[in-house]
Each structure stands twice: as structure tokens, then as C-alpha cells.
Amino acid sequence: MSVPLPQYLSIRYGAHAPDLQAPDAALPILEQILSHRSVRHFLPDALPEGTLETLIAAAQSAATSSNLQAWSVIAIEAPERRAQLAELAGHQAHVRQAPLFLAWLADVSRIERIAQYQQQRAEGVQYLDTTLLAVIDAALAAQNAVLAAEALGLGTVYIGGLRNQPEAVAQLLGTPAGVFPIFGLVVGQPDPTARPAAIKPRLAQSAVLHRERYQAPQSLEDEIGDFDQRLAAFQAAQGMPASQWSQQVVTRLRDAAALHGRAQLSQSLQRAGLSLR
């Protein structure tokens, strides 16, 4: 038996929400996925025993290109180290507040060591495709961990600011050549006294879904529809400063200075032994 999907679709898409149904058995996991939200207010309480290992088991169950498993993760639980990472990631209080911070790493060093053990070469790790492979592997693994955390009733939020000061972060984490921290993940019990995080609107499916061939729109209206207005309404309802999304994305990537430290990435990747060529 199929049942209509819940109102999460209306929150994501507004009037553009597709009319979808799903089998009863699929409803719990789809509800969990569709209701995803970032959490930025956490209790400091320690996580139940076995939580970290459960998250890693979920992460290792994600797809990995050619079964190379070119990623690693560092679990940071010590308050003083979380505080240092919070400062390096842009003074983000929730990094310090939550009991667990996971630093996800593109990691080809394991492959290089395995080659050395066998007195073989691994020259392929020096190419862009391998760097992309490692980053994608880590991202897939992390998202599996997020789904597992939410299934356990925990909250999460990704921390791209881990790349703001990549060399300082690498030094703090002790990452060797062939390893690069690409993003962090905060995990903890959501603070019930804080205003709950809301489900954030997204572009209409027509903006991201192409059929058979890529079809480039010819105007801003065709490109994003009413998303500027929908997001502004969401921000107003949440008591957030309203902004035009279409202007925000251009401003965010206007020039190197707007990248907030990410202009250092090429040099840092090269020093880590990962390639952009």
C-alpha cells in the first residue's frame, strides 16, 4: 500500500512540491531524509556508549570507488581540542558545545603505505582524479553517518569552515602527507530549550533535475523561479536577516577574497601530497 509523503515536501518546495507517494515500508526512512535539518544548539552530554562505532559502521557501509576506501575520520571529543577547532573554523560555538566532532579526511596515504609495504609504486595517487575520488568517498561516508546519527535521535551540522585555515587544522589533527581534512561534522543531542532547527527550503526540482540532456535556462526567473521569495519568507519566519539567495551565491563566490581562506587550498593540497592537476 502506498501513502502520501508528509508535509516535509511542502516545506522544501512550497507550491512546487511534487505530489508523491511511497510504500508504507519506505515511509520511516523517507521521512527521516526529507526532514533533515542542521542543528546548531547542543547539550554537552556525552553520547551513549557505542554511538561513535555505530556512526563509523554506517559510514563504512557507503559506496566507495573501486573499493579503495580512500578516506579516514578523526573523532575529537576532548573539550580543549574542540575549542581549538571551533576557533579555526570561524569561531563556531557549536563545535565547542557538542560532545563529538568528526573531521573527515581525504586519505590516499593508506594506499601509499600499502604500496610501500609491497615495494610497489602508487603513482596514480598524484592525479586529480584520485584526489576527487578520495573527497567523494569521504562525503558519501559522512552522509551515511549523518543518517545514522539522525536515526539515533541525534543532531548534526557540517562544518565547511574546517578549510578556512587548512594548514593550522592539519597541524592540530596531525595529518601526514596524503591526508587532507575536507570538512567537519558536529554530533550531539539537540538542546531542547533552544528553538528547534527548521527544515530549510530548496530550489524547485526543475532547477536541478535535467532529463536526458542538460538544459541551461535563459533567465534568472527560469533558473530559480520564486526561490528568492520563498527563502526570504523562511528567514523572516525564523527571525533571521532576510537576504536574496541569488545575490548571496554570487557574492559568496565573487573573488578569491570572498572565499574566506579557501584560496589557500591549492597550496595546502599540494603540501599534503594531493594533486589538482
Side-chain angles (χ1 to χ4, degrees):
M1 177 181 177
S2 293
V3 295
L5 287 172
Q7 295 302 308
Y8 305 131
L9 289 173
S10 295
I11 302 173
R12 289 287 185 212
Y13 299 118
H16 307 285
D19 184 16
L20 302 178
Q21 294 191 343
D24 281 335
L27 198 57
I29 185 63
L30 288 174
E31 284 185 332
Q32 180 190 328
I33 293 171
L34 295 173
S35 64
H36 168 75
R37 63 202 75 190
S38 295
V39 175
R40 291 181 173 83
H41 298 281
F42 297 90
L43 297 175
D45 304 5
L47 301 178
E49 185 175 352
T51 297
L52 174 59
E53 292 76 9
T54 300
L55 301 186
I56 301 308
Q60 289 190 283
S61 298
T64 168
S65 181
S66 300
N67 201 23
L68 293 179
Q69 304 177 66
W71 64 273
S72 293
V73 62
I74 301 176
I76 296 96
E77 299 173 289
E80 64 276 10
R81 295 179 66 79
R82 286 190 281 108
Q84 288 175 289
L85 284 168
E87 296 307 303
L88 292 173
H91 313 287
Q92 299 191 55
H94 37 278
V95 176
R96 183 187 301 105
Q97 187 181 51
L100 177 62
F101 184 88
L102 297 175
W104 296 89
L105 317 171
D107 185 358
V108 299
S109 72
R110 183 184 305 110
I111 297 169
E112 291 180 306
R113 289 191 298 271
I114 291 171
Q116 290 171 5
Y117 300 149
Q118 300 179 35
Q119 298 182 334
Q120 300 289 326
R121 293 182 300 171
E123 295 178 359
V125 302
Q126 300 172 14
Y127 288 86
L128 172 61
D129 186 68
T130 307
T131 299
L132 287 175
L133 180 155
V135 171
I136 293 167
D137 265 16
L140 294 174
Q143 187 59 20
N144 257 27
V146 165
L147 291 174
E150 292 176 343
L152 295 171
L154 302 173
T156 65
V157 62
Y158 282 109
I159 305 296
L162 201 66
R163 302 188 304 275
N164 284 0
Q165 301 184 62
E167 293 184 358
V169 169
Q171 184 175 10
L172 177 63
L173 297 179
T175 52
V179 180
F180 188 78
I182 50 177
F183 53 79
L185 183 70
V186 176
V187 183
Q189 296 281 357
D191 185 348
T193 66
R195 183 173 185 171
I199 298 173
K200 190 173 290 185
R202 293 287 193 256
L203 290 164
Q205 288 193 4
S206 59
V208 300
L209 174 62
H210 303 263
R211 296 185 184 273
E212 310 303 339
R213 289 175 61 85
Y214 194 97
Q215 302 290 329
Q218 300 301 308
S219 69
L220 179 61
E221 183 178 359
D222 290 341
E223 191 82 56
I224 68 169
D226 64 351
F227 188 68
D228 275 343
Q229 293 77 23
R230 286 198 290 121
L231 185 61
F234 166 84
Q235 291 168 328
Q238 294 295 306
M240 302 164 59
S243 62
Q244 267 205 323
W245 180 83
S246 59
Q247 184 59 49
Q248 176 188 339
V249 296
V250 173
T251 301
R252 177 66 179 77
L253 298 175
R254 180 182 58 242
D255 51 31
L259 297 178
H260 302 300
R262 290 168 178 81
Q264 305 174 37
L265 281 181
S266 177
Q267 184 178 29
S268 298
L269 279 165
Q270 290 174 350
R271 290 181 181 177
L274 296 169
S275 179
L276 291 179
R277 60 174 175 159

